[in-house]
Amino acid sequence: MAGSSGEQALDFRSLLGIRDEAARAWALNEHLSTRSYVQGHALSQADVDLFRQLSAPPADVRLFHVARWFRHIEALLGGARDTGQPCGPQASKGRRVQPQWSPPAGTPPCKLRLYNSLTRSKDVFIPQDGKKVSWYCCGPTVYDASHMGHARSYISFDILRRVLRDYFKFDVFYCMNITDIDDKIIRRARQNHLVERYLEKRPQAPQVLADVHAALKLFSVKLNETVDPDKRQMLERMQHAVTLATEPLESALKAQLPEEKVQGCVQALLEEAKDLLSEWLDSMFGSEVTDNSIFSQLPKFWEGEFHKDMEALNVLPPDVLTRVSEYVPEIIGFVRRIVENGYGYVSNGSVYFDTVKFASSEKHSYGKLVPEAVGDQKALQEGEGDLSVSADRLSEKRSANDFALWKASKPGEPSWPCPWGKGRPGWHIECSAMASAVLGASMDIHGGGFDLRFPHHDNELAQSEAHFDSDCWVRYFLHTGHLTIAGCKMSKSLKNFITIKDALKKHSARQLRLAFLLHSWKDTLDYSSNTMESALQYEKFLNEFFLNVKDLLRAPVDVTGQFEKWEEEEAALSHSFCDRKAAVHAALCDNVDTRTAMEEMRALVTQSNLYMGTRKAARRRPNRGLLQSIAQYLTYMLKVFGAIEEDSALGFPVGGPGSSLDLEATVLPYLHVLSEFREGVRRIAREQKVPEILQLCDALRDEVLPELGVRLEDHEGLPTVVKLLDRATLLKEKEDKQRLEEEKRRRREEAARKKQEQEAAKLAKMKTPPSEMFLSESDKYSKFDENGLPTHDAEGKELSRGQAKKLRKLFEAQEKLHREYLQTLQSGGAQ
């Protein structure tokens, strides 16, 4: 470096005498040029003072030395230049420092909101304990086969649970109950036991006939009391069917037919009259059933069937499962505390909840979920159960709105000892006691079907808050929407009752889940052919995309070849990919709106398909890395939703459970060898013009391989695409294709037939001479001129000039047609 620090400082000070800033800048620039200042030069205070004389770096580009040093010193001093503060230690040493950094403004993060039945609005979801979420879900009352109404609730809650756990990364603790003590269970178990005991006695044919007639008489009373038209119609059908079934047995007994034939009639009658006979037996002998074990066999069986159905639907099992029969001591203790707190009272061995006293308390409110339903006696009595709405039971209450916490058992009902005498739990208290035993005095989420809001969940809230003397037993109440069948309420009376097993015979668990995902979890879902067709088309649409991406990724490339240059098309698709992911996230934050999320995913696939189609048209391979990222994201989201059941790396798995990955990895290499061999054979066959070999190659593609679950797609100028699918799917595609081809063939034949008829009609018209065309219309015209043109109408009135002109035009047109016909005859072209 030329010169010492003292010389540099002195030289700098000599420039301070120049008052004009522009002149000073020029002089300073010349000085810096001759002194060859470099970045490592140590600045003195005099150097700093000199640059302070400049208000700003010079704008003249020729003064770049001054501008560079000005900015350098300004950076060293920070904001001190304008205030006259001394330079810091770093400035004195002449080191460069980082400029001040400003964080980006960004956008506020999207917050998860859930539709809370307690507020009837979407509330920001805030768990009580960090990321931990305590969740209780009302489980089934197990006395019959699980149906699509159950699927509606449990698939929907499974989707919500997975999204909170796997997408939003909450630590979800999920508890569900099994109601195995209930009026419906008691009645059904008792009736089944009585029928079994009746059949074990092997009653004689006359006795069976007499008993069935007695059952029909009792059934007629029930029928006359039924008001609901649909239910009444169902009961009438049952009555008619049983009445018809009695006739063969009566005839056999009168005719004294052989015992074998009589017994055949007995068995047929017993099968048809089982429901009627069970109700009659229950009315006669139900009070004699006292063994508690009889009431446990039925729910145990149907609980097992329920778990099998949930597993088949890919519904995650709960972290904790509670059964009412196992929590009776806890229920008794829960009821005792409510009584001690003054919100329950004992009446004739039963314990009831005092709704009036609870509602009058300052810190409590009854009917939080559906306040407008308070006082609905029909709903309240349905909540109490069929066995608990007799006149004597209703008279035990202080208020008609009060409900049973503990029911004194009648003869023929299971019972447990307690401080108030032998009895059994009420329906509503079960969930309160079990949920509180597992989750404590307050939970984050409570879930159930929409029809449980009142009275069940409102009563749960009241009795739990009475027990804990608080007002926050549940923070967020989630209710899934109703399920209808083709627009109608599902019921046995309407003959549209669909069990989960029946539904799974028609559609896969994934297809059912996709149908639910395409609808809001809190709104009514209509289970119909249109709904399922939409789900099938969505599945097929995504699966085709996954298969195309898999085929692209299987193409051999070297290590560097998998990273390809991005052009405008890739940049545009990547930008759209980011936008769609943001839209999916926003949708899930908005009350877990899977419907919008699924549509955004569909739009992403559509854009990806357009990109691949454009590349294919240009005979260029798409960018495999970008499409792989998109396919992996879609796979991840479908796993979050539970629509991909197995650990599939990309797309929907192929084959049976546990075999998908091995199947693809094992089979596809051989299929590619077969495909390449076939392509070579086709090329030679085209060159040598051997159509028979081409037909065999087509038969391999269209007939043989689909039977094995393999689809080959031939594309002109591009390698054949090999896709591994489900055999049933391919066979259905084949049937649909054949059906469409058959419809096209029929349409072509129909069009040809109509064309022939039109040509025949035209030919017949051409044969008629113009002079004869009106003569047959005697009902319209009475007189004609020498050329055959009408002159008078049927009543003898002369035609007007306008009518005559119109007929003349028709005459001339026919004259032209007939002339063409005669010319055709002369040339020998017509018959």
Side-chain angles (χ1 to χ4, degrees):
M1 187 185 302
S4 65
S5 298
E7 292 175 339
Q8 294 159 9
L10 181 63
D11 291 337
F12 275 122
R13 284 196 295 274
S14 68
L15 297 173
L16 293 174
I18 303 176
R19 295 185 177 182
D20 182 67
E21 185 168 319
R24 188 186 305 115
W26 273 102
L28 186 56
N29 191 71
E30 183 67 22
H31 176 74
L32 292 170
S33 299
T34 59
R35 301 299 292 175
S36 301
Y37 276 74
V38 294
Q39 183 174 343
H41 174 68
L43 293 175
S44 68
Q45 188 62 45
D47 299 336
V48 175
D49 292 340
L50 179 61
F51 275 92
R52 277 180 173 168
Q53 300 299 315
L54 300 177
S55 60
D60 195 323
V61 295
R62 291 173 292 180
L63 305 179
F64 63 90
H65 288 294
V66 178
R68 179 169 64 86
W69 276 96
F70 178 89
R71 292 192 181 93
H72 175 57
I73 294 173
E74 184 181 41
L76 289 173
L77 298 176
R81 190 179 64 83
D82 296 331
T83 61
Q85 296 176 2
C87 181
Q90 289 186 339
S92 65
K93 294 180 180 179
R95 297 194 196 129
R96 289 185 181 273
V97 297
Q98 288 180 307
Q100 185 178 0
W101 176 81
S102 300
T107 56
C110 188
K111 295 181 179 180
L112 171 61
R113 295 177 180 271
L114 296 176
Y115 185 86
N116 185 5
S117 296
L118 288 167
T119 62
R120 299 188 185 180
S121 62
K122 297 175 185 177
D123 297 326
V124 176
F125 180 61
I126 306 174
Q128 300 174 96
D129 185 11
K131 297 289 285 186
K132 295 180 180 178
V133 176
S134 54
W135 189 335
Y136 180 82
C137 180
C138 278
T141 301
V142 282
Y143 67 98
D144 207 339
S146 301
H147 50 72
M148 284 303 294
H150 293 118
R152 170 57 169 149
S153 284
Y154 300 120
I155 291 179
S156 297
F157 280 130
D158 186 67
I159 293 169
L160 290 172
R161 177 186 176 188
R162 289 171 182 268
V163 170
L164 264 65
R165 186 192 69 175
D166 299 334
Y167 186 82
F168 290 107
K169 306 303 180 184
F170 286 107
D171 182 10
V172 179
F173 185 78
Y174 194 82
C175 176
M176 187 182 77
N177 80 293
I178 293 290
T179 297
D180 57 354
I181 300 174
D182 177 82
D183 287 36
K184 296 185 181 71
I185 294 174
I186 294 169
R187 184 189 294 273
R188 181 70 62 84
R190 200 166 60 197
Q191 291 177 353
N192 288 352
H193 171 73
L194 292 171
V195 168
E196 289 174 6
R197 192 172 70 178
Y198 179 82
L199 295 177
E200 287 174 357
K201 295 179 179 179
R202 297 184 178 276
Q204 296 299 310
Q207 183 64 48
V208 170
L209 191 60
D211 292 341
V212 170
H213 279 299
L216 278 168
K217 187 176 180 180
L218 178 67
F219 190 78
S220 297
V221 176
K222 178 181 178 181
L223 178 60
N224 294 332
E225 295 174 349
T226 302
V227 178
D228 182 82
D230 293 328
K231 187 174 182 180
R232 184 179 180 86
Q233 189 177 28
M234 179 190 72
L235 297 179
E236 287 174 346
R237 288 197 301 266
M238 291 175 61
Q239 183 187 49
H240 181 66
V242 174
T243 302
L244 288 178
T246 62
E247 294 175 359
L249 181 57
E250 289 174 342
S251 301
L253 291 173
K254 287 181 180 179
Q256 296 183 346
L257 295 178
E259 182 65 18
E260 183 179 347
K261 291 188 175 181
V262 171
Q263 285 302 315
C265 295
V266 167
Q267 293 302 318
L269 178 57
L270 287 173
E271 184 66 28
E272 190 66 52
K274 182 179 179 181
D275 291 339
L276 274 69
L277 198 59
S278 66
E279 289 191 14
W280 175 74
L281 290 170
D282 191 43
S283 68
M284 298 289 290
F285 311 108
S287 60
E288 299 176 4
V289 181
T290 56
D291 185 357
N292 276 11
S293 65
I294 293 172
F295 301 101
S296 64
Q297 296 170 2
L298 177 76
K300 184 177 181 180
F301 171 80
W302 286 116
E303 181 191 337
E305 294 300 301
F306 170 78
H307 291 313
K308 292 177 184 176
D309 289 342
M310 293 300 103
E311 183 178 3
L313 291 173
N314 194 34
V315 172
L316 294 171
D319 295 307
V320 174
L321 183 78
T322 62
R323 299 180 183 88
V324 178
S325 60
E326 297 173 348
Y327 278 79
V328 172
E330 289 82 355
I331 293 172
I332 293 172
F334 204 90
V335 173
R336 184 188 291 113
R337 174 62 63 85
I338 294 174
V339 174
E340 291 172 354
N341 288 347
Y343 296 110
Y345 59 91
V346 181
S347 179
N348 199 25
S350 296
V351 183
Y352 293 94
F353 187 80
D354 194 334
T355 56
V356 174
K357 185 172 183 180
F358 182 80
S360 61
S361 172
E362 290 184 1
K363 65 186 301 184
H364 297 303
S365 177
Y366 179 63
K368 283 186 174 182
L369 293 168
V370 196
E372 61 271 23
V374 174
D376 184 344
Q377 293 303 307
K378 181 180 179 182
L380 287 166
Q381 290 182 20
E382 288 177 354
E384 292 294 81
D386 294 341
L387 303 178
S388 308
V389 292
S390 58
D392 57 332
R393 280 286 171 89
L394 294 175
S395 65
E396 295 172 356
K397 300 180 181 182
R398 294 176 183 174
S399 167
N401 294 337
D402 294 350
F403 55 89
L405 300 172
W406 184 266
K407 301 177 181 179
S409 292
K410 299 177 182 178
E413 296 179 0
S415 62
W416 288 263
C418 69
W420 316 287
K422 285 191 174 183
R424 58 188 177 90
W427 177 35
H428 313 300
I429 198 66
E430 300 168 352
C431 290
S432 292
M434 292 187 294
S436 299
V438 175
L439 303 178
S442 182
M443 70 187 75
D444 294 306
I445 297 175
H446 191 318
F450 185 82
D451 55 335
L452 295 179
R453 295 181 310 154
F454 185 87
H456 185 52
H457 286 158
D458 265 327
N459 288 351
E460 273 190 48
L461 284 168
Q463 61 200 11
S464 300
E465 291 173 1
H467 175 275
F468 291 109
D469 201 21
S470 67
D471 64 346
C472 55
W473 186 59
V474 174
R475 297 293 185 174
Y476 298 84
F477 234 124
L478 310 184
H479 289 100
T480 55
H482 286 301
L483 179 125
T484 57
I485 306 295
C488 300
K489 181 180 178 181
M490 184 175 68
S491 68
K492 291 183 178 179
S493 60
L494 294 176
K495 291 189 174 181
N496 63 357
F497 188 83
I498 301 175
T499 66
I500 291 174
K501 286 182 172 60
D502 289 338
L504 287 172
K505 291 176 182 177
K506 293 184 177 180
H507 301 102
S508 69
R510 180 194 304 144
Q511 290 162 352
L512 292 173
R513 185 171 291 249
L514 288 174
F516 286 25
L517 286 164
L518 290 168
H519 292 78
S520 169
W521 61 268
K522 76 176 189 65
D523 296 333
T524 297
L525 169 66
D526 186 44
Y527 179 70
S528 63
S529 57
N530 289 337
T531 298
M532 294 312 304
E533 182 60 27
S534 297
L536 293 173
Q537 292 302 319
Y538 192 97
E539 179 189 42
K540 182 179 180 181
F541 181 68
L542 259 65
N543 196 37
E544 286 299 319
F545 170 72
F546 287 134
L547 292 172
N548 288 330
V549 174
K550 286 180 180 179
D551 179 73
L552 175 65
L553 297 178
R554 281 194 294 266
V557 293
D558 56 26
V559 175
T560 59
Q562 59 186 314
F563 302 104
E564 303 161 281
K565 179 185 177 182
W566 279 28
E567 299 180 0
E568 289 185 6
E569 295 91 339
E570 285 77 21
L573 180 58
S574 178
H575 181 73
S576 177
F577 181 24
C578 293
D579 289 345
R580 297 298 178 188
K581 285 195 290 185
V584 169
H585 179 69
L588 295 182
C589 286
D590 184 19
N591 194 39
V592 191
D593 181 4
T594 58
R595 180 175 184 173
T596 300
M598 295 284 279
E599 290 304 325
E600 292 293 343
M601 291 162 61
R602 190 204 301 267
L604 176 59
V605 173
T606 298
Q607 290 172 311
S608 301
N609 287 340
L610 289 173
Y611 164 74
M612 286 191 288
T614 302
R615 284 294 176 131
K616 183 184 293 185
R619 298 291 192 271
R620 299 173 62 191
R621 293 193 70 83
N623 187 289
R624 56 190 289 146
L626 177 56
L627 290 172
Q628 182 179 19
S629 296
I630 293 173
Q632 286 175 339
Y633 167 75
L634 294 170
T635 302
Y636 164 71
M637 290 309 305
L638 290 168
K639 285 182 178 178
V640 167
F641 295 151
I644 292 181
E645 303 88 350
E646 302 174 36
D647 189 20
S648 173
L650 199 70
F652 299 128
V654 182
S659 64
S660 59
L661 294 179
D662 291 338
L663 184 64
E664 286 189 295
T666 304
V667 172
L668 280 170
Y670 297 96
L671 290 176
H672 273 287
V673 172
L674 174 63
S675 174
E676 290 171 2
F677 175 78
R678 172 179 171 273
E679 187 58 34
V681 170
R682 291 177 71 218
R683 183 174 62 255
I684 295 172
R686 283 194 294 266
E687 292 171 355
Q688 302 295 326
K689 298 181 180 180
V690 187
E692 293 82 4
I693 294 181
L694 290 174
Q695 290 173 2
L696 286 174
C697 290
D698 290 346
L700 177 67
R701 177 194 64 200
D702 300 333
E703 303 295 335
V704 179
L705 290 179
E707 291 285 345
L708 302 175
V710 180
R711 184 204 290 161
L712 298 184
E713 296 179 356
D714 295 323
H715 299 283
E716 190 65 33
L718 293 172
T720 298
V721 176
V722 182
K723 295 181 178 179
L724 197 61
L725 287 89
D726 186 57
R727 176 177 177 272
T729 301
L730 283 178
L731 294 181
K732 185 176 184 301
E733 287 181 0
K734 180 181 174 182
E735 292 174 1
D736 293 342
K737 183 179 179 181
Q738 290 175 344
R739 187 175 65 254
L740 289 174
E741 290 176 352
E742 180 64 21
E743 290 177 358
K744 289 180 181 178
R745 184 189 63 79
R746 284 200 300 266
R747 285 197 295 268
R748 286 196 300 268
E749 291 178 352
E750 182 66 17
R753 184 185 62 79
K754 288 183 178 179
K755 185 177 180 181
Q756 288 179 349
E757 291 176 353
Q758 291 172 353
E759 290 176 351
K762 181 180 178 181
L763 181 61
K765 185 177 181 181
M766 291 173 69
K767 288 181 179 181
T768 305
S771 58
E772 300 176 5
M773 65 180 297
F774 296 114
L775 296 179
S776 60
E777 301 181 13
S778 56
D779 57 329
K780 295 181 180 180
Y781 312 110
S782 59
K783 292 184 180 181
F784 306 86
D785 64 9
E786 64 277 7
N787 295 321
L789 275 167
T791 57
H792 294 72
D793 62 16
E795 297 177 356
K797 185 179 179 181
E798 187 176 359
L799 299 178
S800 66
R801 292 180 63 183
Q803 290 175 313
K805 185 177 180 181
K806 183 177 179 180
L807 293 174
R808 167 62 64 180
K809 287 184 177 181
L810 293 174
F811 182 88
E812 291 173 352
Q814 181 63 24
E815 190 175 34
K816 182 179 179 181
L817 281 174
H818 189 64
R819 193 181 304 119
E820 292 177 3
Y821 171 70
L822 295 176
Q823 290 174 355
T824 305
L825 284 179
Q826 291 176 0
S827 63
Q831 297 296 326

